[in-house]
Amino acid sequence: MFVDSHCHLDRLSEHTHGGDVAATLDAARHANVSQFLAISTTLEELPGLAAIAREHHDVAISAGLHPLYQAAHEPSVDEIVDAAEQYGAVAIGETGLDYHYQESVPLSVQHERFKRHLMAASELELPVIIHTRDAKEDTLALLREHSNPQVGGVIHCFTEDLEMAREAVRLGFYISLSGIITFRNAASLRTLARQLPLDRLLIETDSPYLAPVPHRGKPNEPAWVVEVAECIARERGISVDEVAMQTTVNFYHLFRAAAPDAPAHVKEALAQSGLVV
């Protein structure tokens, strides 16, 4: 059983099951993907994401603004908190810093937005979903200063170095690997997948983006999170079942608000690891 810990179900391509969310989720369930976290990149998206979650018991949602979103209004901490509570988010984000396209949103705005999300996450005791690109030192500095290690979070679609991953883990964060790990030029990520503790890894698609091998060039979909798990299993020399189970348990440990909807055998594994749901 697999979990797609980061997908954009409201952005499905017309080439992905005709843009039909239900059909896309059914295809993933057929591949043994049993939980989906649909990610918010703007607060305006939340009503639509919440509607998807109401229709599908295995979909949870987050609440936040992407660092590159050009907002007409920067929400306060209270506004982020209120939005997350109103729509039943299990996490805050995605948020963070992106210096690769920094000309689109000034760095000062990105920093303040990121801090507000971290403060909202701490107030709500919800994990935070981090997007970071070419901003290693500043991302870690803000996490050290403003994140709550008792709540933690995840650096999604991780593409940075092993040093950053280990420091993020020390700060209470998980590392999520996407289809990028299957790319020919991603040897460093495959090394990272071998060296990090399995109990700190998550898997994701970031669909409809970043389709894994052998689906490169196509719109990504949650069913293909299996390819990410299979790549990790090959690199670590373990079974894909072990990767699936551990990353699923990791998901519910982090996103505890989603745990009551976990399948029975996962709840049993969670109980054995000390998490009562």
Side-chain angles (χ1 to χ4, degrees):
M1 194 193 77
F2 306 87
V3 169
D4 186 353
S5 68
H6 193 111
C7 53
H8 298 278
L9 296 178
D10 56 343
R11 297 188 177 188
L12 293 176
S13 164
E14 64 180 10
H15 301 293
T16 306
H17 302 277
D20 187 324
V21 172
T24 300
L25 293 176
D26 281 344
R29 294 172 188 130
H30 186 71
N32 293 323
V33 184
S34 63
Q35 178 74 55
F36 313 85
L37 182 52
I39 304 301
S40 163
T41 59
T42 77
L43 296 186
E44 289 79 9
E45 293 173 353
L46 283 172
L49 289 175
I52 293 172
R54 284 194 299 271
E55 293 175 8
H56 302 279
H57 69 91
D58 47 7
V59 173
I61 68 171
S62 71
L65 279 75
H66 192 282
L68 296 182
Y69 176 63
Q70 296 179 326
H73 165 70
E74 287 295 323
S76 65
V77 174
D78 286 345
E79 287 172 320
I80 298 168
V81 167
D82 290 346
E85 290 184 320
Q86 179 181 353
Y87 293 104
V90 303
I92 298 298
E94 63 184 283
T95 183
L97 301 175
D98 192 318
Y99 291 0
H100 189 75
Y101 297 109
Q102 60 182 273
E103 66 277 3
S104 61
V105 177
L107 298 190
S108 59
V109 174
Q110 288 194 39
H111 279 230
E112 181 60 29
R113 183 184 296 177
F114 190 15
K115 285 191 288 186
R116 291 181 186 182
H117 280 73
L118 292 172
M119 293 168 68
S122 184
E123 180 175 334
L124 289 170
E125 297 187 346
L126 290 178
V128 62
I129 299 165
I130 307 297
H131 169 109
T132 183
R133 189 174 185 187
D134 298 339
K136 172 182 172 179
E137 297 302 331
D138 287 351
T139 298
L140 289 174
L142 286 168
L143 291 181
R144 292 186 192 105
E145 184 175 359
H146 296 287
S147 69
N148 181 347
Q150 301 305 312
V151 178
V154 56
I155 300 185
H156 103 92
C157 195
F158 193 84
T159 56
E160 303 297 330
D161 59 24
L162 182 60
E163 178 188 35
M164 182 178 188
R166 285 174 168 163
E167 178 63 8
V169 167
R170 190 188 69 80
L171 293 171
F173 281 74
Y174 288 76
I175 302 299
S176 183
L177 299 174
S178 70
I180 292 175
I181 194 176
T182 69
F183 296 1
R184 181 182 303 175
N185 62 352
S188 62
L189 282 182
R190 289 188 286 275
T191 299
L192 181 147
R194 293 193 299 270
Q195 296 188 0
L196 285 180
L198 187 58
D199 64 2
R200 302 306 294 184
L201 291 180
L202 296 177
I203 55 176
E204 65 170 273
T205 60
D206 203 16
S207 57
Y209 315 109
L210 302 174
V213 174
H215 309 289
R216 292 292 305 272
K218 300 177 183 178
N220 203 359
E221 56 182 280
W224 296 342
V225 76
V226 176
E227 271 80 3
V228 180
E230 289 174 343
C231 182
I232 294 171
R234 286 193 300 272
E235 291 299 319
R236 297 182 73 100
I238 59 178
S239 71
V240 69
D241 286 348
E242 184 175 349
V243 174
M245 190 62 186
Q246 186 62 60
T247 55
T248 296
V249 169
N250 295 348
F251 175 88
Y252 288 113
H253 264 286
L254 179 60
F255 300 107
R256 296 191 179 196
D261 293 326
H265 70 288
V266 175
K267 288 182 179 179
E268 181 179 349
L270 291 170
Q272 291 173 357
S273 64
L275 180 63
V276 178
V277 297

